[in-house]
Amino acid sequence: MRIILSRGLIFLLSLTRASQAILLLPLGNNDASNAAEDNGTLSTQDVSGNIECAAASTNTSFFLSFISYGNYTALPGQGEDDGGLVPTQLVSMSFAVSNAANGVYTICAFPLGHLANSSTGSRDPPAWIDDTSWRACADRRDTDGKHRFTIATGAAFGLTSGYITVNQTWFCHDDAGRLVAYTGIANGTLNMGCVDGGEVGGYHVTNCTSPDVALPVTLL
């Protein structure tokens, strides 16, 4: 899907059940340039390979790297005297994602579930519940020298299945020089391998990693 952005205040729903990006268009040239310099805003004009951003967006991919998650399980006795404030298990995911259309990358990091509360009087340990809902990744501010906007990314990962989905909204210029928004989604199954990470801070750690992977993007 391509959306040609008009002047004024635009609220763009960029991710399904994930996040919203607010775009303020347009600013004067000097205002936008000064804001970019003062705030360290990324300029897509300086990103290698962005000259043909619009054309590349029709057949792009998301490249995932540094893919890992850690499974932290409390050691016996850990948290028994704190009234349950210390969780007995934690699982968190992180990876970097870059869009081949414009070279922009961002970081995703989020928990993968939670422990279910045991029923009153039950001696069974709490069961782990996977959470495969959409999680927001770090937003990237962007500018074309005239406008400022946000590249918004979200992801979902199934701990049991290894299935990952990434969704992103980004921006390019068409042949007429107009700013165009693209929203795309990519998915695949990660080949996670796990090793014993030993004991850290009262937890036993299992570290799991995946080789880097390129996921073809389908535009929405």
Side-chain angles (χ1 to χ4, degrees), residues 75-214:
L75 298 174
Q78 176 75 4
E80 291 182 354
D81 57 353
D82 66 359
L85 295 178
V86 176
T88 57
Q89 187 175 13
L90 295 168
V91 185
S92 59
M93 176 85 172
S94 64
F95 58 91
V97 54
S98 62
N99 187 336
N102 57 16
V104 175
Y105 72 92
T106 190
I107 301 297
C108 300
F110 46 85
L112 293 178
H114 63 276
L115 287 171
N117 294 327
S118 300
S119 58
T120 303
S122 174
R123 295 184 178 180
D124 295 330
W128 178 260
I129 305 297
D130 285 354
D131 185 352
T132 58
S133 60
W134 281 107
R135 299 287 185 166
C137 301
D139 287 341
R140 295 298 305 271
R141 293 176 300 165
D142 203 350
T143 180
D144 63 357
K146 295 181 179 180
H147 312 124
R148 288 181 297 169
F149 38 87
T150 299
I151 299 174
T153 307
F157 179 69
L159 183 62
T160 302
S161 65
Y163 192 76
I164 192 167
T165 303
V166 180
N167 191 333
Q168 186 179 88
T169 294
W170 68 98
F171 304 85
C172 306
H173 291 89
D174 63 12
D175 294 338
R178 295 171 298 187
L179 191 62
V180 179
Y182 295 82
T183 297
I185 192 169
N187 49 60
T189 301
L190 300 179
N191 182 20
M192 306 295 297
C194 300
V195 297
D196 191 329
E199 297 179 4
V200 178
Y203 287 87
H204 180 266
V205 182
T206 300
N207 293 317
C208 302
T209 60
S210 167
D212 297 345
V213 61

Side-chain angles (χ1 to χ4, degrees), residues 8-104:
L9 185 63
I10 298 176
F11 293 89
L12 175 63
L13 178 62
S14 61
L15 299 174
T16 305
R17 303 173 66 182
S19 64
Q20 290 182 323
I22 301 177
L23 312 181
L24 183 60
L25 302 178
L27 295 174
N29 289 356
N30 293 337
D31 291 341
S33 298
N34 292 339
E37 293 175 1
D38 294 342
N39 299 325
T41 305
L42 174 71
S43 173
T44 55
Q45 305 308 306
D46 297 332
V47 175
S48 176
N50 192 54
I51 298 176
E52 303 296 336
C53 174
S57 293
T58 63
N59 187 30
T60 188
S61 61
F62 296 149
F63 183 73
L64 276 56
S65 58
F66 304 103
I67 307 166
S68 67
Y69 72 80
N71 190 336
Y72 296 77
T73 304
L75 298 174
Q78 176 75 4
E80 291 182 354
D81 57 353
D82 66 359
L85 295 178
V86 176
T88 57
Q89 187 175 13
L90 295 168
V91 185
S92 59
M93 176 85 172
S94 64
F95 58 91
V97 54
S98 62
N99 187 336
N102 57 16
V104 175

